[in-house]
mmCIF file of all heavy atoms in Angstrom:
data_model
loop_
_atom_site.group_PDB
_atom_site.id
_atom_site.type_symbol
_atom_site.label_atom_id
_atom_site.label_comp_id
_atom_site.label_asym_id
_atom_site.label_seq_id
_atom_site.Cartn_x
_atom_site.Cartn_y
_atom_site.Cartn_z
ATOM 1 N N ALA L 248 -15.801 -12.899 11.972
ATOM 2 C CA ALA L 248 -16.285 -12.539 10.652
ATOM 3 C C ALA L 248 -17.506 -13.375 10.278
ATOM 4 O O ALA L 248 -17.454 -14.611 10.289
ATOM 5 C CB ALA L 248 -15.169 -12.728 9.620
ATOM 6 N N ASP L 249 -18.599 -12.698 9.950
ATOM 7 C CA ASP L 249 -19.845 -13.386 9.587
ATOM 8 C C ASP L 249 -19.848 -13.673 8.090
ATOM 9 O O ASP L 249 -20.572 -13.036 7.317
ATOM 10 C CB ASP L 249 -21.057 -12.536 9.964
ATOM 11 C CG ASP L 249 -21.173 -12.319 11.461
ATOM 12 O OD1 ASP L 249 -20.790 -13.239 12.202
ATOM 13 O OD2 ASP L 249 -21.639 -11.255 11.866
ATOM 14 N N VAL L 250 -19.066 -14.631 7.679
ATOM 15 C CA VAL L 250 -18.896 -14.884 6.254
ATOM 16 C C VAL L 250 -20.196 -15.381 5.614
ATOM 17 O O VAL L 250 -20.650 -14.830 4.600
ATOM 18 C CB VAL L 250 -17.757 -15.892 6.009
ATOM 19 C CG1 VAL L 250 -17.710 -16.318 4.545
ATOM 20 C CG2 VAL L 250 -16.426 -15.282 6.412
ATOM 21 N N GLU L 251 -20.802 -16.415 6.160
ATOM 22 C CA GLU L 251 -21.988 -17.007 5.520
ATOM 23 C C GLU L 251 -23.127 -16.007 5.366
ATOM 24 O O GLU L 251 -23.689 -15.884 4.265
ATOM 25 C CB GLU L 251 -22.466 -18.246 6.290
ATOM 26 C CG GLU L 251 -21.575 -19.451 6.144
ATOM 27 C CD GLU L 251 -20.449 -19.493 7.175
ATOM 28 O OE1 GLU L 251 -20.285 -18.487 7.913
ATOM 29 O OE2 GLU L 251 -19.749 -20.517 7.251
ATOM 30 N N PRO L 252 -23.504 -15.250 6.429
ATOM 31 C CA PRO L 252 -24.589 -14.278 6.237
ATOM 32 C C PRO L 252 -24.262 -13.201 5.208
ATOM 33 O O PRO L 252 -25.150 -12.776 4.449
ATOM 34 C CB PRO L 252 -24.762 -13.670 7.636
ATOM 35 C CG PRO L 252 -24.209 -14.678 8.569
ATOM 36 C CD PRO L 252 -23.088 -15.343 7.845
ATOM 37 N N VAL L 253 -23.009 -12.761 5.162
ATOM 38 C CA VAL L 253 -22.630 -11.729 4.198
ATOM 39 C C VAL L 253 -22.715 -12.272 2.772
ATOM 40 O O VAL L 253 -23.205 -11.594 1.858
ATOM 41 C CB VAL L 253 -21.213 -11.200 4.504
ATOM 42 C CG1 VAL L 253 -20.698 -10.347 3.342
ATOM 43 C CG2 VAL L 253 -21.219 -10.393 5.798
ATOM 44 N N VAL L 254 -22.264 -13.488 2.570
ATOM 45 C CA VAL L 254 -22.357 -14.099 1.236
ATOM 46 C C VAL L 254 -23.820 -14.254 0.826
ATOM 47 O O VAL L 254 -24.219 -13.893 -0.284
ATOM 48 C CB VAL L 254 -21.624 -15.456 1.213
ATOM 49 C CG1 VAL L 254 -21.929 -16.223 -0.071
ATOM 50 C CG2 VAL L 254 -20.123 -15.247 1.354
ATOM 51 N N LEU L 255 -24.637 -14.786 1.717
ATOM 52 C CA LEU L 255 -26.050 -14.998 1.398
ATOM 53 C C LEU L 255 -26.755 -13.700 1.040
ATOM 54 O O LEU L 255 -27.566 -13.644 0.108
ATOM 55 C CB LEU L 255 -26.765 -15.655 2.579
ATOM 56 C CG LEU L 255 -26.577 -17.156 2.760
ATOM 57 C CD1 LEU L 255 -27.201 -17.614 4.070
ATOM 58 C CD2 LEU L 255 -27.189 -17.909 1.587
ATOM 59 N N ASP L 256 -26.434 -12.636 1.757
ATOM 60 C CA ASP L 256 -27.089 -11.345 1.542
ATOM 61 C C ASP L 256 -26.576 -10.642 0.288
ATOM 62 O O ASP L 256 -27.347 -10.026 -0.457
ATOM 63 C CB ASP L 256 -26.872 -10.465 2.768
ATOM 64 C CG ASP L 256 -27.411 -9.068 2.576
ATOM 65 O OD1 ASP L 256 -28.635 -8.916 2.434
ATOM 66 O OD2 ASP L 256 -26.607 -8.122 2.537
ATOM 67 N N SER L 257 -25.282 -10.738 0.030
ATOM 68 C CA SER L 257 -24.690 -9.939 -1.047
ATOM 69 C C SER L 257 -24.949 -10.509 -2.437
ATOM 70 O O SER L 257 -25.017 -9.761 -3.413
ATOM 71 C CB SER L 257 -23.177 -9.794 -0.829
ATOM 72 O OG SER L 257 -22.528 -11.048 -0.857
ATOM 73 N N TYR L 258 -25.087 -11.819 -2.551
ATOM 74 C CA TYR L 258 -25.262 -12.444 -3.869
ATOM 75 C C TYR L 258 -26.470 -11.874 -4.629
ATOM 76 O O TYR L 258 -26.314 -11.367 -5.749
ATOM 77 C CB TYR L 258 -25.377 -13.956 -3.688
ATOM 78 C CG TYR L 258 -25.497 -14.754 -4.960
ATOM 79 C CD1 TYR L 258 -24.373 -15.152 -5.676
ATOM 80 C CD2 TYR L 258 -26.749 -15.166 -5.430
ATOM 81 C CE1 TYR L 258 -24.483 -15.916 -6.831
ATOM 82 C CE2 TYR L 258 -26.872 -15.924 -6.574
ATOM 83 C CZ TYR L 258 -25.743 -16.301 -7.271
ATOM 84 O OH TYR L 258 -25.865 -17.057 -8.421
ATOM 85 N N PRO L 259 -27.693 -11.927 -4.085
ATOM 86 C CA PRO L 259 -28.827 -11.371 -4.840
ATOM 87 C C PRO L 259 -28.737 -9.865 -5.018
ATOM 88 O O PRO L 259 -29.172 -9.337 -6.055
ATOM 89 C CB PRO L 259 -30.049 -11.769 -4.004
ATOM 90 C CG PRO L 259 -29.531 -12.046 -2.640
ATOM 91 C CD PRO L 259 -28.137 -12.555 -2.819
ATOM 92 N N ARG L 260 -28.178 -9.155 -4.065
ATOM 93 C CA ARG L 260 -28.080 -7.703 -4.199
ATOM 94 C C ARG L 260 -27.144 -7.323 -5.346
ATOM 95 O O ARG L 260 -27.436 -6.414 -6.131
ATOM 96 C CB ARG L 260 -27.586 -7.085 -2.888
ATOM 97 C CG ARG L 260 -28.597 -7.164 -1.757
ATOM 98 C CD ARG L 260 -27.958 -6.776 -0.438
ATOM 99 N NE ARG L 260 -27.468 -5.408 -0.434
ATOM 100 C CZ ARG L 260 -26.611 -4.928 0.453
ATOM 101 N NH1 ARG L 260 -26.119 -5.729 1.400
ATOM 102 N NH2 ARG L 260 -26.218 -3.675 0.401
ATOM 103 N N MET L 261 -26.005 -8.029 -5.439
ATOM 104 C CA MET L 261 -25.064 -7.722 -6.512
ATOM 105 C C MET L 261 -25.647 -8.065 -7.878
ATOM 106 O O MET L 261 -25.507 -7.298 -8.839
ATOM 107 C CB MET L 261 -23.749 -8.464 -6.279
ATOM 108 C CG MET L 261 -22.958 -7.947 -5.093
ATOM 109 S SD MET L 261 -21.454 -8.876 -4.729
ATOM 110 C CE MET L 261 -20.429 -8.431 -6.137
ATOM 111 N N LEU L 262 -26.335 -9.203 -7.970
ATOM 112 C CA LEU L 262 -26.917 -9.589 -9.252
ATOM 113 C C LEU L 262 -28.076 -8.676 -9.641
ATOM 114 O O LEU L 262 -28.245 -8.348 -10.823
ATOM 115 C CB LEU L 262 -27.367 -11.046 -9.190
ATOM 116 C CG LEU L 262 -26.222 -12.057 -9.167
ATOM 117 C CD1 LEU L 262 -26.736 -13.453 -8.882
ATOM 118 C CD2 LEU L 262 -25.455 -12.038 -10.486
#
Side-chain angles (χ1 to χ4, degrees):
D249 296 327
V250 172
E251 288 88 352
V253 168
V254 169
L255 281 173
D256 175 65
S257 62
Y258 183 85
R260 291 169 62 196
M261 291 176 70
L262 289 171

